[in-house]
Amino acid sequence: MKIVVAIDSFKGSVRSCDLNAAVVGVAQEVLPGAEVKSFAIADGGEGTLDALQAGLGGEMRVVETIDLLGRPIAASYLQVGHQAFIESAAVVGIDKICPSPQTFDEATSYGLGALLCDAVEQGCEAIYVTLGGSGTSDGGLGLLESFGFDGKTLRFALPANWEKVQLIGLTDVKYPYAGQAGFAQVFGKQKGGNPEQLLLKDRAARDFVAFVQEESGLDLQAIPGTGAAGGLGAALVLLGGHLEAGFDRIASIVGLEEAIVDADLVITGEGRLDSQSRAGKVPYGVAQLAKKHGHPAIAVCGAIAEDADWIWDDFLSVFSIQTRVLPLEEAMDPEKTLVNLAFVTRNILRTFIGKS
């Protein structure tokens, strides 16, 4: 029997590689003769650099810059040969603030530019920027300003050799820049915005879409993912980049599909499975690969939302790892999470192989 394990990080709790290791340990105990392969995996959100470094190696480079509130920080990105992988959340992550109406107005993506420039200086020819977990709603204007954008023209002061760089934004969502499905209306509330601020921000986003279209003929609304990370997706496009589904690219880089081709069982999961999971998150992507090759996929999650009624189309079964009602803080305790995951995994495998 061959089992493939590819679980996304449980945000704020346990990393992908540690979750996978827990499942692998149980699988080797319950099925001593089984081949078990695990993949640290992500979709462009939290944990992406960990997943990529586990699969590719490389070195972390440290850059002095500012965070989303303008405070000095040292942020890291992964360099693998002539490739750079930058996690936007390392600079502008929502985990760096207590979201409020004030931070909603003040948060800027400006500091991310320093990492891009450093990667160019290091001779990187492909720069991947992951667009998940951000705390900004500035429409990507901060990042553009770090490259000399003044708001009156679409001209930038780009570093030398920029034209030789392939810039790729890895998104975990496909939302457009403005409107009801835009960055302000969909994600603004969780980033601290009040209803009035969300309306004002979306109005500004619509105006910016019109401005860009008038100046360049480019329609930001027509490009899926421009609303990712508070509009950072659009900024990367304007800097000459393009957007890709984060999971698809990362799965390709680490060789996940090749391992799934002859698997008997695929185990995946994330912290919370909900309606947004189907928009490019890890469990859905892994399940689609398993389905493509005719293999069953099972998901393990910290929580399963009521709006996840689509799961039966894509998974053999889905399990919450919780064994009893707990306060959220206790349920997310890393040690307890791993213990509960091991317990549920043992039940899954015993059921799957038909043991009593």
Side-chain angles (χ1 to χ4, degrees):
M1 175 179 284
K2 179 179 178 180
I3 300 172
V4 172
V5 185
I7 304 172
D8 197 0
S9 62
F10 282 18
K11 189 174 182 179
S13 181
V14 182
R15 299 181 304 166
S16 171
C17 57
D18 295 327
L19 293 165
N20 289 340
V23 172
V24 170
V26 173
Q28 291 174 337
E29 174 190 332
V30 176
L31 300 166
E35 177 186 0
V36 188
K37 298 197 70 173
S38 71
F39 293 82
I41 194 68
D43 50 30
E46 179 187 78
T48 298
L49 293 193
D50 285 340
L52 288 169
Q53 189 169 33
L56 301 176
E59 65 170 334
M60 299 297 292
R61 283 193 53 81
V62 180
V63 177
E64 298 295 329
T65 185
I66 58 171
D67 72 3
L68 66 176
L69 294 184
R71 300 168 297 197
I73 59 166
S76 301
Y77 71 89
L78 176 65
Q79 183 176 357
V80 184
H82 293 293
Q83 300 180 98
F85 298 90
I86 297 172
E87 195 171 289
S88 61
V91 179
V92 299
I94 195 170
D95 60 316
K96 302 182 184 303
I97 59 172
C98 293
S100 68
Q102 182 177 349
T103 62
F104 182 82
D105 282 338
E106 294 179 356
T108 174
S109 54
Y110 187 95
L112 193 59
L115 277 68
L116 291 168
C117 290
D118 187 81
V120 175
E121 290 175 5
Q122 295 304 310
C124 293
E125 298 169 355
I127 301 176
Y128 297 87
V129 182
T130 70
L131 302 174
S134 80
T136 54
S137 296
D138 68 348
L141 297 184
L143 175 59
L144 296 180
E145 288 165 4
S146 74
F147 287 95
F149 175 66
D150 63 5
K152 297 177 182 178
T153 69
L154 282 179
R155 296 175 183 171
F156 306 99
L158 299 173
N161 298 319
W162 184 261
E163 70 282 355
K164 299 178 182 178
V165 174
Q166 184 182 20
L167 180 63
I168 306 103
L170 300 181
T171 72
D172 58 356
V173 297
K174 299 178 181 179
Y175 295 108
Y177 193 75
Q180 288 298 312
F183 71 85
Q185 298 286 13
V186 174
F187 300 111
K189 183 178 180 180
Q190 71 187 52
K191 297 180 182 181
N194 61 38
E196 182 180 358
Q197 288 175 305
L198 303 189
L199 288 173
L200 289 173
K201 184 69 70 172
D202 185 57
R203 190 177 304 158
R206 291 173 188 267
D207 290 344
F208 188 67
V209 168
F211 165 70
V212 170
Q213 191 156 22
E214 181 179 348
E215 291 290 319
S216 68
L218 181 67
D219 184 4
L220 293 177
Q221 285 297 93
I223 304 173
T226 50
L232 270 173
L236 294 181
V237 169
L238 291 172
L239 289 170
H242 70 274
L243 306 178
E244 297 182 7
F247 171 80
D248 292 345
R249 170 63 79 160
I250 294 163
S252 174
I253 288 172
V254 301
L256 178 59
E257 183 170 5
E258 289 88 337
I260 287 177
V261 168
D262 60 347
D264 296 290
L265 174 64
V266 179
I267 299 176
T268 185
E270 64 179 341
R272 175 181 168 86
L273 197 70
D274 56 27
S275 60
Q276 290 191 20
S277 300
R278 210 174 190 180
K281 302 291 186 179
V282 164
Y284 179 74
V286 173
Q288 294 310 296
L289 290 178
K291 182 186 291 187
K292 176 180 176 181
H293 296 287
H295 306 309
I298 293 176
V300 288
C301 310
I304 305 169
E306 292 181 359
D307 63 3
D309 54 357
W310 53 270
I311 55 179
W312 312 122
D313 296 331
D314 300 290
F315 298 97
L316 173 65
S317 54
V318 174
F319 296 86
S320 168
I321 67 169
Q322 307 307 328
T323 57
R324 61 188 177 91
V325 178
L326 293 172
L328 179 60
E329 183 177 350
E330 188 176 348
M332 291 179 64
D333 175 75
E335 183 177 350
K336 185 170 291 294
T337 294
L338 292 173
V339 168
N340 287 349
L341 175 61
F343 176 82
V344 170
T345 300
R346 184 171 286 104
N347 280 339
I348 290 170
L349 294 178
R350 288 175 62 86
T351 301
F352 188 76
I353 63 177
K355 284 189 175 182
S356 60

